């Protein structure tokens, strides 16, 4: 990651820029965060966190928004959270976005939209080999967590958490988010693979590519079906058009 929050020389001596980078990285890894969340994770005072967030917001690295609530909303005003802006995400490694988008555009123009879908599915099937090994090594009740750890190893900063009647898989970073804005087939292929790996229908609730702070996938409780082969999943969906 390149440095975010350029600072005068006197600030560098006190580690101010390094701490701001830690704040930005924590938001990248964990998704939109409150001041209290950041203070607890980084071992800083809330006043210090607010000061760094003010600087990052001024530089268009982070922005504040109301916290999204899934399920029943509790009383009181939603907490304010801080999320990375597109500029903030660009500070992390996304230097090949234009090349990837150009390549997909070429595929689409030369071979049609179906070829983009096929590429997206084959790409995810190749990535899923490692994910499948991690899932098969985990007990059924830990499969979503195992998938999250495997995704994190691939740069997606993923976590799993309990949700009403199921679980949520949250990806706090997406290395291909800017390309997926133009080619949502990448997100759709990923969702299909998650369903095949976990052996149940899953529902994508939010994506970074669509402007959300985190990619969120809902996984209902279902222990009756074993994970489906990703090869079979690709074959069974090959004739479907993306939504």
């Amino acid at each position: 990651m390149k440095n975010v929050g350029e600072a005068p020389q006197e600030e560098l001596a006190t580690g101010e820029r390094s701490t701001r980078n830690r704040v930005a990285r924590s938001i990248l890894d964990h998704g939109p965060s409150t001041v209290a969340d950041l203070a607890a994770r980084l071992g800083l005072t809330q006043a210090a966190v607010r000061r760094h967030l003010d600087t990052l917001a001024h530089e268009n690295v982070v922005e504040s928004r109301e916290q999204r609530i899934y399920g029943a909303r509790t009383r009181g005003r939603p907490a304010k959270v801080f999320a990375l802006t597109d500029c903030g995400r660009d500070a992390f490694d996304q230097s090949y976005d234009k090349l990837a988008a150009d390549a997909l555009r070429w595929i689409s123009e030369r071979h049609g939209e179906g070829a983009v879908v096929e590429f997206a599915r084959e790409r995810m099937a190749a990535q899923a080999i490692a994910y499948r090994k991690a899932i098969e090594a985990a007990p059924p009740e830990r499969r979503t967590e195992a998938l999250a750890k495997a995704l994190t190893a691939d740069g997606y900063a993923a976590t799993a958490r309990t949700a009403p009647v199921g679980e949520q898989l949250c990806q706090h970073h997406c290395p291909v988010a800017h390309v997926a804005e133009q080619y949502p087939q990448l997100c759709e292929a990923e969702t299909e693979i998650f369903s095949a790996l976990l052996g149940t229908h899953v529902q994508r609730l939010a994506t970074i590519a669509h402007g959300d702070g985190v990619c969120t996938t809902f996984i209902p409780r279902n222990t009756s079906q074993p994970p489906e082969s990703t090869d079979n999943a690709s074959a069974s969906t090959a004739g479907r058009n993306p939504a």
Side-chain angles (χ1 to χ4, degrees), residues 198-240:
L198 297 171
T200 186
H201 169 73
V202 303
Q203 181 181 6
R204 186 57 64 87
L205 302 178
T207 64
I208 293 170
H210 289 166
D212 299 297
V214 59
C215 296
T216 306
T217 305
F218 173 69
I219 301 152
R221 289 196 186 94
N222 182 359
T223 58
S224 62
Q225 297 179 357
E228 180 185 349
S229 165
T230 50
D231 291 338
N232 291 340
S234 295
S236 67
T237 56
R240 291 204 311 239

Side-chain angles (χ1 to χ4, degrees), residues 162-176:
T162 302
V165 301
E167 295 176 287
Q168 283 184 358
L169 176 68
C170 299
Q171 294 157 264
H172 304 287
H173 178 52
C174 177
V176 297

Side-chain angles (χ1 to χ4, degrees), residues 89-141:
R89 290 187 184 281
D90 283 342
F92 295 86
D93 237 341
Q94 293 179 332
S95 58
Y96 294 101
D97 283 352
K98 187 177 186 303
L99 176 63
D102 288 346
L104 287 175
R105 187 176 303 109
W106 186 91
I107 292 173
S108 177
E109 291 173 353
R110 292 296 183 93
H111 303 287
E113 291 294 323
V116 176
V117 175
E118 184 178 357
F119 167 82
R121 286 175 175 158
E122 290 194 9
R123 172 183 174 275
M124 279 308 306
Q127 285 185 231
I129 294 172
Y131 304 163
R132 172 169 291 281
K133 290 179 181 178
I135 289 170
E136 289 178 345
E141 68 276 10

Side-chain angles (χ1 to χ4, degrees), residues 40-198:
R41 287 200 297 261
L42 299 173
L44 300 170
T45 65
Q46 292 192 23
V49 169
R50 287 192 184 93
R51 179 164 52 82
H52 290 302
L53 288 170
D54 284 345
T55 301
L56 291 169
H58 177 72
E59 295 168 350
N60 195 30
V61 174
V62 303
E63 62 184 1
S64 64
R65 59 177 68 160
E66 285 191 352
Q67 188 172 31
R68 289 188 64 169
I69 304 296
Y70 298 101
R73 185 180 291 274
T74 57
R75 286 189 176 186
R77 189 174 180 181
K80 180 187 289 187
V81 296
F82 291 84
L84 289 181
T85 62
D86 285 343
C87 176
R89 290 187 184 281
D90 283 342
F92 295 86
D93 237 341
Q94 293 179 332
S95 58
Y96 294 101
D97 283 352
K98 187 177 186 303
L99 176 63
D102 288 346
L104 287 175
R105 187 176 303 109
W106 186 91
I107 292 173
S108 177
E109 291 173 353
R110 292 296 183 93
H111 303 287
E113 291 294 323
V116 176
V117 175
E118 184 178 357
F119 167 82
R121 286 175 175 158
E122 290 194 9
R123 172 183 174 275
M124 279 308 306
Q127 285 185 231
I129 294 172
Y131 304 163
R132 172 169 291 281
K133 290 179 181 178
I135 289 170
E136 289 178 345
E141 68 276 10
R142 303 291 292 274
R143 283 177 175 165
T144 303
E145 181 182 345
L147 176 56
K149 289 181 178 178
L151 286 165
T152 295
D154 261 356
Y156 289 87
T159 58
R161 65 188 184 193
T162 302
V165 301
E167 295 176 287
Q168 283 184 358
L169 176 68
C170 299
Q171 294 157 264
H172 304 287
H173 178 52
C174 177
V176 297
H178 287 185
V179 182
E181 287 179 19
Q182 302 174 57
Y183 295 96
Q185 295 94 328
L186 296 174
C187 298
E188 291 154 6
E190 184 180 74
T191 305
E192 290 174 0
I193 285 293
F194 288 171
S195 178
L197 288 171
L198 297 171

